[in-house]
Amino acid sequence: MCKSLRISHSGYCDWLERPACAQAQANAVLLEHIRQAHAASDATYGVPRIQVELAEQGVKAGHNRIAAVMRAGGLRGVSRRRGWCVTTQRDKHQRPAPDLVQREFTATGINQLWVADMTCIPTWAGFVYLAVVLDVYSRKVAGWAFGQQQTAELVIQALNMALTTRRPQGVIHHSDQGSQYTRLDFGKRCKEMGVRPSMGSVGDAYDNAMAESFFASLECELIDRRSWKSFAQARMAVFTWIEGGYNPRRRHSGMGQKSPINFEKELQAKGKTSTATTPEHGLPKGCCAPLDKPPSGPGNGPSPCPQASPLDNPEPEHCNQTATTTACQKTSRVVSVRSG
């Protein structure tokens, strides 16, 4: 081999025993940091988010160097798929709400503009459906609901979850013209809670672009890379992705590479919070976590709802059991007073 390559045997032996240069050693250390950050993101982060992750850990490296090291280590982020699922079915007999957004997905604070939509998730047992409500300002998933049918009740559940955790006043709820959002039940619920419904045009994804962008992230980071045998497995995976990854940890370039919850924490620290609340009107009390994975707290006490952030205003009763106990105590006091 040495003769074919026209090198000396002694030079080849010297090269084998020569230690790696300082640059190669530094790249090996950097690759290990990158692997850890990449694994923590469930192998979804690319170069921009990896760079921010490393910077927060005190590891300084340029964009091109990180890209080269990731390429050499066989690491890459996920890209959005090109397929889609059609879930919008307009009811021609129902009157849609006016478009109050006009593709201007901007807000100056939380609970000013929400966007909502639905998507389907394939499982071995059939399709299941996910309805979400996102806050435009912080990109946080304020409410979501999971079901086996596309019904108005499903989108109302997602809206109720958002109302429970956020307590807005006069918020705009923007969606497409799907029959679930044009139903009288949904319009009545919005009127009860002071929510201003808004709807884009039919068959135009740009009129609800922010919600479509969220579902594109969900598809490429979770749905495209997993398969589930049952509805329960799919529900748990979506719950974990939203509450364990998207809201608390997933970085957004539009918010300075911060996660929704961390972005809201900074807003609270700067004093840019809103204390406006809405009346009860039948809002579900307690934690909105899935029944198959209730939150657990230290000791025997319940933990706060996983949806809650520093800007949310959850009720003191964090779970249905506590809420029921409190209601019973209040009833007992009233009966005692009347008896006296």
Side-chain angles (χ1 to χ4, degrees):
M1 185 181 65
C2 292
K3 184 177 181 181
S4 300
L5 296 176
R6 297 182 180 180
I7 58 175
S8 64
H9 183 269
S10 58
Y12 173 72
C13 294
D14 180 66
W15 174 79
L16 286 177
E17 298 175 357
R18 189 181 306 161
C21 64
Q23 181 67 29
Q25 294 178 9
N27 285 343
V29 174
L30 178 62
L31 178 59
E32 185 59 30
H33 287 292
I34 293 175
R35 287 190 187 278
Q36 295 176 5
H38 192 255
S41 71
D42 195 21
T44 60
Y45 278 5
V47 176
R49 292 189 175 99
I50 289 291
Q51 186 178 17
V52 177
E53 285 282 346
L54 296 182
E56 288 193 355
Q57 299 173 15
V59 179
K60 303 296 183 181
H63 183 280
N64 292 337
R65 183 185 176 195
I66 293 176
V69 173
M70 289 184 65
R71 187 162 49 249
L75 302 177
R76 57 176 299 177
V78 294
S79 59
R80 296 179 178 180
R81 69 178 186 176
R82 298 182 179 180
W84 64 88
C85 174
V86 178
T87 57
T88 304
Q89 298 179 0
R90 183 186 180 189
D91 187 347
K92 297 181 180 180
H93 301 288
Q94 300 291 345
R95 180 179 178 183
D99 189 351
L100 304 177
V101 178
Q102 297 296 329
R103 300 187 182 180
E104 292 291 335
F105 297 100
T106 57
T108 58
I110 65 168
N111 298 335
Q112 294 181 1
L113 174 59
W114 291 350
V115 295
D117 203 354
M118 298 177 63
T119 192
C120 60
I121 299 175
T123 71
W124 290 16
F127 283 100
V128 289
Y129 299 92
L130 172 69
V132 299
V133 178
L134 291 92
D135 191 300
V136 168
Y137 191 66
S138 66
R139 307 296 199 275
K140 182 184 178 184
V141 180
W144 61 278
F146 208 74
Q148 298 181 23
Q149 293 182 340
Q150 301 182 67
T151 61
E153 181 63 25
L154 185 64
V155 297
I156 291 175
Q157 288 176 7
L159 175 63
N160 281 341
M161 185 177 186
L163 292 170
T164 302
T165 60
R166 307 294 274 186
R167 304 289 175 178
Q169 186 175 28
V171 64
I172 296 176
H173 180 284
H174 184 76
S175 66
D176 55 31
Q177 293 188 22
S179 60
Q180 299 81 14
Y181 294 102
T182 58
R183 288 287 298 273
L184 293 177
D185 294 345
F186 183 80
K188 180 180 178 181
R189 190 60 179 150
C190 290
K191 185 177 181 179
E192 289 176 349
M193 303 307 299
V195 176
R196 302 166 59 193
S198 170
M199 297 181 186
S201 59
V202 179
D204 194 339
Y206 292 104
D207 282 355
N208 202 13
M210 185 167 289
E212 298 290 348
S213 177
F214 167 80
F215 284 135
S217 298
L218 172 67
E219 289 165 357
C220 78
E221 295 181 10
L222 180 67
I223 298 176
D224 261 4
R225 306 166 64 227
R226 302 286 190 275
S227 64
W228 303 280
K229 296 181 179 180
S230 65
F231 299 140
Q233 290 180 352
R235 176 187 175 89
M236 185 58 60
V238 171
F239 169 75
T240 303
W241 187 83
I242 293 177
E243 301 298 349
Y246 183 88
N247 278 343
R249 295 193 294 113
R250 191 184 187 279
R251 300 181 182 275
H252 294 260
S253 58
M255 300 187 301
Q257 295 293 4
K258 298 180 180 64
S259 68
I261 288 182
N262 288 337
F263 183 73
E264 292 190 352
K265 286 181 179 179
E266 291 192 3
L267 289 180
Q268 185 194 36
K270 295 177 181 178
K272 296 182 179 180
T273 61
S274 173
T275 57
T277 59
T278 56
E280 294 285 334
H281 291 298
L283 281 176
K285 290 184 179 292
C287 181
C288 298
L291 297 179
D292 49 5
K293 189 177 182 181
S296 58
N300 297 325
S303 68
C305 175
Q307 272 283 340
S309 81
L311 298 188
D312 294 333
N313 299 289
E315 290 293 321
E317 299 84 16
H318 294 303
C319 67
N320 294 330
Q321 181 180 0
T322 308
T324 304
T325 303
T326 305
C328 293
Q329 292 174 352
K330 290 181 180 178
T331 304
S332 299
R333 288 198 295 267
V334 173
V335 172
S336 300
V337 171
R338 291 181 178 176
S339 299

